[in-house]
Amino acid sequence: MAQKPSIPKGTRDFSPSEVAKRNFIMQTIREQFEKFGFQPIETPSFENSETLMGKYGDEGDRLIFKILNSGDFLKKANQEAFDQKDSLKITSSISEKALRYDLTVPFARYVVQHRNELEFPFKRYQIQPVWRADRPQKGRFREFFQCDADVVGSDSLWQEVEFVQLYDAVFSSLGLKGVTIKMNNRKVLSGFAEVIGESDKLIDFTVALDKLDKIGEDGVKKEMQEKGISSEAIEKIQRVFDLHGSFSEKIEVLKDILATSEIGKKGIEELEFINNALAELGLYEANLDLDVTLARGLNYYTGAIFEVSAPKGVAMGSIGGGGRYDDLTGIFGMSGVSGVGISFGLDRIYLVLEELDLFPETVAGNVRVLFINFGNKESLYCLKAIKALRAAGIAAELYPEEAKMKKQMNHANKREIPFVVLAGTKEIEDGQFTLKDMKSGEQSTVNLQELKEKIGS
Amino acid sequence: MAQKPSIPKGTRDFSPSEVAKRNFIMQTIREQFEKFGFQPIETPSFENSETLMGKYGDEGDRLIFKILNSGDFLKKANQEAFDQKDSLKITSSISEKALRYDLTVPFARYVVQHRNELEFPFKRYQIQPVWRADRPQKGRFREFFQCDADVVGSDSLWQEVEFVQLYDAVFSSLGLKGVTIKMNNRKVLSGFAEVIGESDKLIDFTVALDKLDKIGEDGVKKEMQEKGISSEAIEKIQRVFDLHGSFSEKIEVLKDILATSEIGKKGIEELEFINNALAELGLYEANLDLDVTLARGLNYYTGAIFEVSAPKGVAMGSIGGGGRYDDLTGIFGMSGVSGVGISFGLDRIYLVLEELDLFPETVAGNVRVLFINFGNKESLYCLKAIKALRAAGIAAELYPEEAKMKKQMNHANKREIPFVVLAGTKEIEDGQFTLKDMKSGEQSTVNLQELKEKIGS
């Protein structure tokens, strides 16, 4: 292979500093998940195709990566499909496994498969990669990590309260101030459709409303009309477009708008409960807002809907989202299991922290000190000190070869190692080390204990 | 789907306690890697097929999981292969990507692709899953994690010294005493073949010798003879079968056996250098041994060969291995890059720690305290305390529903949560909490500060 090797489009190599930063985010999220009582599970990278296919719609089916059966797979291929050279039709007969497309369906499968071992309510988190054969573009990859936390087996609204607290705790721990946790409720959206007499057009209605940010009030109204919602109907909820003020103020207006809708009132009641509890408990850094245009895969959610937006001034889509779904496991024949969950958008959070320069300097986990190699006798002397430093938790290493001094110093520079130790005959005799601070250029002669103290900080 | 869902054979779901234990091992390894100056990289789960195919032999090619192209893949299928219904031949035309089979070839690809950004010697570690379409059996899976550390761009034997220290540091940190790090050197094996005049039968010779543990001395000799190695030749290295004593004692005997072989003497010199350095530096818990029967994928290694065996009394194959290879990146057109690396067998280490009961009790990361739910007012009171506990780093949660007391207590029991808090009207009035130790059954009334202290330990 003469040409330079490459990786498949839409995938990424991560360099040491990128891995360190990603781990920092994941570790922060993991710690908060655990403080909130969520437990980790992991599921296989590939599932039986029948577990995944048909769960994400036709488009989803198309975007699922399929794994070719091993051995003489054509032997068992569907003959008719083979004769017709029908790729779509032949797939299920030559591919029995497929790569995970998200973490939700595998979680549902897990819950059903292990139902007898699990204690409900079951709070699980999962941080694993997923794969989608999407067209790659800026910020959209074919392999990316999802970070999900869900509770199944409880209808309690305290879960929703906890998820807002969890978002707040994670983003505050990451040093990311000023995120906004937006909430809505599917029942409020149903209420809108009801009061305008267009319950059968709920989806069209909310899909249009969801675009308010992008296409403005006139654009939304135009789209609604195109979908057959009359301007008289739209007029009835004009106040929805004019909503402003605090969460509580919006609630008061909504109570009035939805006064005639039982389901709408239920939605408001839920939102009010959550808002009141959080007002009592307080949030660290995040803002909580009510956004009635929020829909996020409406077919999926049945109650609360969450979405987190980055601090003002950072151009970035949502950095997290989730909601309540009444029937997670029905697709696998286990009904009546209500769930609610949220996820964190790792790649976008990474970009936001990078843009705001919020990664701690120490995150790179770089080596603290490089020992210069002056030969075998000196190296052995150095390695004794290195062993002691490592035992004290300090990352340290010996340059492996007796190369020219300049080359070794350059190595330390390029790797941004903050300290260098030089130990030759004189130092060995005295049981000392010459320590050089690579930033200030300062040199000092120290013993092992002083060495530990100076570079350990 | 009426039937209970399942996962593909050879794959695993990991429960919360399994994930916690696996993370404990990986985190311990990661910390030592970093103390030794290794930096993390991550590569995509799938590579272009041409990157992987042909790198692991025919058997390897067969065991690589191939990903079916998206869309109308049959349209671009090799017509001849299609007409002949030849699965093997058609594969490359309908599958352009394949799942990672190990971490070494992707690492070689990474080094070549990023050669201009890397500073050599480059010390990298990588902890990621790999996939093999092997027949699943006890302890062998189709998806499993590899944990590798390698240095490329240096011939220095100090690297070998460091890898022995690294193994020692990791297993000592895991509390696993009495592992044996076995070393050999490809050059010593070449020397044996040379002194018996059978250099062209090096592979047959070492493959047979590698089985000494399993089939005994007579078995090995029989196999050698079957491969055409004369009994006179075998006689010349009879002393190889009789080797015993310490590392240094074996070295002395080998010097004599290999006195006429330049390459053999070079191998001994390398082993002696490593052994002497380690004798000076000392190991924490591991034993170092010289095992001339060790071969481990001989075609691959060119110098040092490592293998780690579990403590005596634990029936388990090797829990780690590695060695030096002179030409890692030649397969991608970049020659002259010497490397040396080791890997840790995560699944087997897990089984050994489980068998010896060495996982720390705290590893599960379980919630420390469950607050009983007596209603909304009480829950709000509890959530304030829970918020304070979490801020102090203590995992705590509220039972989400006002269920019967017995049900809530059962929940705490089943999840093995060590403490339960009961806070009703009386406690709220007094600003107190009733704390129950689930193990001893003891109850006490405490304020928030005392609560933190009692359950935080």
Side-chain angles (χ1 to χ4, degrees), chain A residues 305-321:
Chain A
I305 304 172
F306 303 102
E307 189 170 282
V308 184
S309 55
K312 283 196 183 78
V314 182
M316 185 69 65
S318 69
I319 54 177

Side-chain angles (χ1 to χ4, degrees), chain A residues 13-14 36 42 45 66 68 72 79 87 109 114 119 143 154 156 162 280 384 390 400-401 411, chain B residues 13-14 36 42 45 66 68 72 87 109 114 119 143 154 156 162 280 384 390 400-401 411:
Chain A
D13 280 331
F14 294 109
F36 278 73
E42 289 181 8
S45 295
K66 288 103 188 166
L68 199 54
D72 188 4
Q79 190 60 45
S87 297
R109 192 266 310 145
H114 301 276
E119 167 64 15
E143 172 175 45
S154 167
S156 165
E162 275 214 334
E280 276 280 323
K384 285 179 187 168
R390 288 173 182 160
E401 276 155 65
H411 185 75
Chain B
D13 279 332
F14 294 108
F36 278 73
E42 290 181 7
S45 296
K66 287 105 190 163
L68 199 55
D72 189 4
S87 297
R109 194 265 311 146
H114 300 276
E119 168 64 15
E143 172 175 47
S154 167
S156 165
E162 275 213 335
E280 276 282 325
K384 286 178 187 170
R390 288 172 182 163
E401 276 155 66
H411 184 75

